[in-house]
PDB file of all heavy atoms in Angstrom:
ATOM      1  N   LEU A  78     130.181  77.757  62.116  1.00  0.00           N
ATOM      2  CA  LEU A  78     131.070  78.579  61.297  1.00  0.00           C
ATOM      3  C   LEU A  78     130.476  79.945  60.970  1.00  0.00           C
ATOM      4  O   LEU A  78     131.178  80.815  60.467  1.00  0.00           O
ATOM      5  CB  LEU A  78     131.403  77.835  59.998  1.00  0.00           C
ATOM      6  CG  LEU A  78     132.409  76.692  60.185  1.00  0.00           C
ATOM      7  CD1 LEU A  78     132.537  75.887  58.915  1.00  0.00           C
ATOM      8  CD2 LEU A  78     133.771  77.220  60.620  1.00  0.00           C
ATOM      9  N   ASN A 110     144.134  71.773  71.137  1.00  0.00           N
ATOM     10  CA  ASN A 110     143.032  72.386  70.361  1.00  0.00           C
ATOM     11  C   ASN A 110     143.143  72.011  68.889  1.00  0.00           C
ATOM     12  O   ASN A 110     143.507  72.851  68.072  1.00  0.00           O
ATOM     13  CB  ASN A 110     143.087  73.927  70.452  1.00  0.00           C
ATOM     14  CG  ASN A 110     143.012  74.425  71.869  1.00  0.00           C
ATOM     15  OD1 ASN A 110     143.985  74.921  72.417  1.00  0.00           O
ATOM     16  ND2 ASN A 110     141.858  74.277  72.483  1.00  0.00           N
ATOM     17  N   PRO A 111     142.852  70.748  68.528  1.00  0.00           N
ATOM     18  CA  PRO A 111     142.966  70.399  67.107  1.00  0.00           C
ATOM     19  C   PRO A 111     142.031  71.259  66.254  1.00  0.00           C
ATOM     20  O   PRO A 111     140.863  71.414  66.586  1.00  0.00           O
ATOM     21  CB  PRO A 111     142.560  68.919  67.056  1.00  0.00           C
ATOM     22  CG  PRO A 111     141.916  68.632  68.354  1.00  0.00           C
ATOM     23  CD  PRO A 111     142.352  69.659  69.350  1.00  0.00           C
ATOM     24  N   ARG A 112     142.619  71.841  65.198  1.00  0.00           N
ATOM     25  CA  ARG A 112     141.833  72.775  64.378  1.00  0.00           C
ATOM     26  C   ARG A 112     142.133  72.594  62.901  1.00  0.00           C
ATOM     27  O   ARG A 112     143.242  72.205  62.550  1.00  0.00           O
ATOM     28  CB  ARG A 112     142.237  74.228  64.685  1.00  0.00           C
ATOM     29  CG  ARG A 112     141.850  74.713  66.005  1.00  0.00           C
ATOM     30  CD  ARG A 112     141.841  76.245  65.995  1.00  0.00           C
ATOM     31  NE  ARG A 112     141.577  76.714  67.332  1.00  0.00           N
ATOM     32  CZ  ARG A 112     142.520  77.192  68.143  1.00  0.00           C
ATOM     33  NH1 ARG A 112     143.753  77.294  67.734  1.00  0.00           N
ATOM     34  NH2 ARG A 112     142.202  77.585  69.356  1.00  0.00           N
ATOM     35  N   ILE A 113     141.148  72.896  62.069  1.00  0.00           N
ATOM     36  CA  ILE A 113     141.407  73.120  60.652  1.00  0.00           C
ATOM     37  C   ILE A 113     140.953  74.549  60.400  1.00  0.00           C
ATOM     38  O   ILE A 113     139.764  74.861  60.550  1.00  0.00           O
ATOM     39  CB  ILE A 113     140.644  72.129  59.746  1.00  0.00           C
ATOM     40  CG1 ILE A 113     141.151  70.714  59.996  1.00  0.00           C
ATOM     41  CG2 ILE A 113     140.813  72.498  58.273  1.00  0.00           C
ATOM     42  CD1 ILE A 113     140.429  69.633  59.219  1.00  0.00           C
ATOM     43  N   CYS A 114     141.895  75.409  60.097  1.00  0.00           N
ATOM     44  CA  CYS A 114     141.631  76.861  59.953  1.00  0.00           C
ATOM     45  C   CYS A 114     140.888  77.365  61.187  1.00  0.00           C
ATOM     46  O   CYS A 114     141.395  77.261  62.279  1.00  0.00           O
ATOM     47  CB  CYS A 114     140.862  77.161  58.676  1.00  0.00           C
ATOM     48  SG  CYS A 114     141.793  76.696  57.219  1.00  0.00           S
ATOM     49  N   PHE A 115     139.652  77.856  61.022  1.00  0.00           N
ATOM     50  CA  PHE A 115     138.921  78.423  62.158  1.00  0.00           C
ATOM     51  C   PHE A 115     138.125  77.372  62.917  1.00  0.00           C
ATOM     52  O   PHE A 115     137.478  77.681  63.901  1.00  0.00           O
ATOM     53  CB  PHE A 115     137.935  79.495  61.667  1.00  0.00           C
ATOM     54  CG  PHE A 115     138.611  80.673  61.071  1.00  0.00           C
ATOM     55  CD1 PHE A 115     138.476  80.951  59.720  1.00  0.00           C
ATOM     56  CD2 PHE A 115     139.410  81.493  61.844  1.00  0.00           C
ATOM     57  CE1 PHE A 115     139.110  82.047  59.165  1.00  0.00           C
ATOM     58  CE2 PHE A 115     140.054  82.588  61.294  1.00  0.00           C
ATOM     59  CZ  PHE A 115     139.904  82.866  59.947  1.00  0.00           C
ATOM     60  N   PHE A 116     138.134  76.155  62.391  1.00  0.00           N
ATOM     61  CA  PHE A 116     137.251  75.141  62.985  1.00  0.00           C
ATOM     62  C   PHE A 116     137.953  74.423  64.131  1.00  0.00           C
ATOM     63  O   PHE A 116     138.840  73.604  63.920  1.00  0.00           O
ATOM     64  CB  PHE A 116     136.788  74.150  61.912  1.00  0.00           C
ATOM     65  CG  PHE A 116     135.572  73.390  62.327  1.00  0.00           C
ATOM     66  CD1 PHE A 116     134.303  73.862  62.011  1.00  0.00           C
ATOM     67  CD2 PHE A 116     135.677  72.222  63.071  1.00  0.00           C
ATOM     68  CE1 PHE A 116     133.171  73.175  62.412  1.00  0.00           C
ATOM     69  CE2 PHE A 116     134.563  71.530  63.477  1.00  0.00           C
ATOM     70  CZ  PHE A 116     133.301  72.007  63.141  1.00  0.00           C
ATOM     71  N   ASP A 117     137.563  74.754  65.354  1.00  0.00           N
ATOM     72  CA  ASP A 117     138.162  74.159  66.554  1.00  0.00           C
ATOM     73  C   ASP A 117     137.293  72.958  66.962  1.00  0.00           C
ATOM     74  O   ASP A 117     136.179  73.123  67.450  1.00  0.00           O
ATOM     75  CB  ASP A 117     138.193  75.217  67.665  1.00  0.00           C
ATOM     76  CG  ASP A 117     138.912  74.715  68.906  1.00  0.00           C
ATOM     77  OD1 ASP A 117     138.667  73.566  69.331  1.00  0.00           O
ATOM     78  OD2 ASP A 117     139.705  75.471  69.470  1.00  0.00           O
ATOM     79  N   PHE A 118     137.833  71.749  66.744  1.00  0.00           N
ATOM     80  CA  PHE A 118     137.016  70.534  66.932  1.00  0.00           C
ATOM     81  C   PHE A 118     136.540  70.380  68.376  1.00  0.00           C
ATOM     82  O   PHE A 118     135.405  69.997  68.631  1.00  0.00           O
ATOM     83  CB  PHE A 118     137.813  69.288  66.514  1.00  0.00           C
ATOM     84  CG  PHE A 118     137.945  69.171  65.023  1.00  0.00           C
ATOM     85  CD1 PHE A 118     139.065  69.675  64.377  1.00  0.00           C
ATOM     86  CD2 PHE A 118     136.944  68.594  64.260  1.00  0.00           C
ATOM     87  CE1 PHE A 118     139.182  69.603  62.998  1.00  0.00           C
ATOM     88  CE2 PHE A 118     137.055  68.517  62.884  1.00  0.00           C
ATOM     89  CZ  PHE A 118     138.176  69.022  62.245  1.00  0.00           C
TER      90      PHE A 118
END
Side-chain angles (χ1 to χ4, degrees):
L78 285 172
N110 302 109
R112 291 200 185 103
I113 295 177
C114 298
F115 295 113
F116 199 92
D117 185 315
F118 286 94

